Amino acid sequence: MKKIDEDFYLKQKVAHLPEYPGVYIMKNKNSDIIYVGKAKNLKNRVSQYFTANQTKKVESMVANIKNFDYIITDSEYEALVLECNLIKRNLPKYNILLKDDKGYSYIKISAEKWPKITVVSKKINDKCKYIGPFMSFQKLNATLNEVIKIFKLPTCRRNFDKKSRPCLNYYINQCTAPCGGYISLKHYLEDIKEAVLFLKNGSKNEVKRLKKDMLTASDNLEFEKAAKIRDRIKLIDSINSKQKVILDENITCDFIAFINDNKLLSMNILKFDKGDLYDSENFIINFNDYDNMYETKSEVIKSYYIMHDRDVDKIFIDSEISNLEDIQKWLSEKFNKKVKIEFKLSKEKLSIMKMCRNNALDSLMRKNSGNGNRLNVLIELKNKLSLKNIPEYIEAYDISNIQGKQNVGGMVVFENGEPSRKSYKKFTIKTVNKQNDYASMLEIIKRRFDRYLSCDTDSGFARKPDLILIDGGIEHTKVIRDYMKNINLEDIPVFGMVKDSRHRTKAITDCEKEIPIKSMRNLFMFITKIQDEVHRFTISYHRKKRKTELNSSELLKIAGIGKKRSIMLLKRFKSIERISKASIEELLTIPGITPSIAASIAEYFKILSDLK
């Protein structure tokens, strides 16, 4: 009774909401804020939560809503600003909250006689020296590796007071080999000191200092020391020259890219400070409860800047998002300066965005470890065909006949990049009695989606494919696309797999042009695998059917055997040879086979045997 009263109270409250812009604040039984949202029309937006067919996340949230408040604003933009403030203050459970997913890191200089420099995740009370904290372990570790190369520091755990034969690093000029006595403790400590200065001041300041030291050494006629410093400067410049991630513009900005696999959304942020890349962050978000990717990306970006006070001049994104102008205005007010969000990028920025997307993809692949290679090729396919989602469930179709006879079709399924043989289907073409590939392909597609639209869950056709690939060219593809549009399923992408003159995979077609894929090795191999598999499956069914019909025609020569009985005999005994060896008693087990017909069968095969 109490549940009914609660539902009635909430629905009554929703019914009396104003149709103005504003913010709504959902609360649980303890009056804790569990969700904050903005709306252009409060009544329309909030009422949507209490309708049927919601996602699991919304259902879970609504089950916990016992009350809600709202605040009317003058505009949707004011609602967005208020929403951001309330989310940051209350951290509601059901909002997307992009908190830092990594702890702080430190540079540690050990308190040994021969100190070593390492990256650690904790600062403890010991006699060692620490530099930090730093936010990005990945960037810090990469920087330390550069320092080790520049100053040729050892990375081993040897006791340098006990002399031994140097390892390979010494012989390839990557270590000063204190283990072999090739550097004194005094000079080693000087290298450690300079390495620490490099870590504290950065490469630009370090190069300035080194150039000054080199000139001083040269003036003092310390030419060996000057040469050593010169080589160190060259090495630093060489490392910096490999950093293609330096913008021409002297701005502080973020590049943001997204990759999704229909279940997870991966966001990568590359952070630039005055034109130099200095950090990268990744976030993985469960987004299967969000229907609109356009809005989801907007929510994720907004959440990031709610939780992070990063003062940027510009934000570059890989695609357009909803509420772009309002978010841009909110950020400008937050940082008290004009902040621009751009998604139309120059050639230079597109190359950085590509790197950003690759980082997002790498993060997603690591999250889906074990399925990385398959996921990678599916993402390639998604991008190449400009699909909305990664094609997790692909159906491929082919037909086979000999001059219009024994006309059959086959459907194979690739789920998550692998064949799903339990889902394969065979079709005997029923309405086409001559060679008409377009009509035959159309028939099997029609039969497949008639079952889908009739909600025939037992047929194995209940699932909607993410992509349809047909073995055929532009015209084949156009016929099927037109049909899918006629049955209001044009949202299912349809593409053709084109073959060359030697019957090998050549390209993909969208019914207007051919899309070359040979330069994309993994994608080309994947499409070839699908095309070969659907051809193999369909032609094997065609051969089996042809063999059955040939055997059936042989049986029709026997008195009393018609088409129906011949099929029953072949179904039971599988082959002509087995029928010829069957006893009278075995033949009589077939419905419709009388003693006289069984005798005729035995007599027929006895005569054939005698003739041989």
Side-chain angles (χ1 to χ4, degrees), residues 362-417:
D362 179 70
S363 180
L364 190 62
M365 286 171 64
R366 279 187 278 110
K367 186 74 175 177
N368 291 294
S369 58
N371 295 321
N373 292 334
R374 294 197 297 273
L375 175 61
N376 195 5
V377 77
L378 291 177
I379 291 173
E380 278 190 28
L381 183 59
K382 170 186 176 290
N383 294 336
K384 191 66 177 177
L385 302 184
S386 300
L387 306 178
K388 288 183 178 179
N389 297 307
I390 291 176
E392 291 184 343
Y393 196 83
I394 301 171
E395 291 181 359
Y397 295 84
D398 193 10
I399 55 172
S400 182
N401 61 67
I402 295 179
Q403 295 180 336
K405 295 180 179 179
Q406 290 93 36
N407 213 349
V408 300
M411 177 191 95
V412 303
V413 173
F414 275 65
E415 188 169 8
N416 295 319

Side-chain angles (χ1 to χ4, degrees), residues 403-405 407 429-436 440:
Q403 295 180 336
K405 295 180 179 179
N407 213 349
I429 306 299
K430 299 176 180 179
T431 61
V432 183
N433 298 318
K434 56 184 180 180
Q435 188 162 355
N436 187 329
S440 297

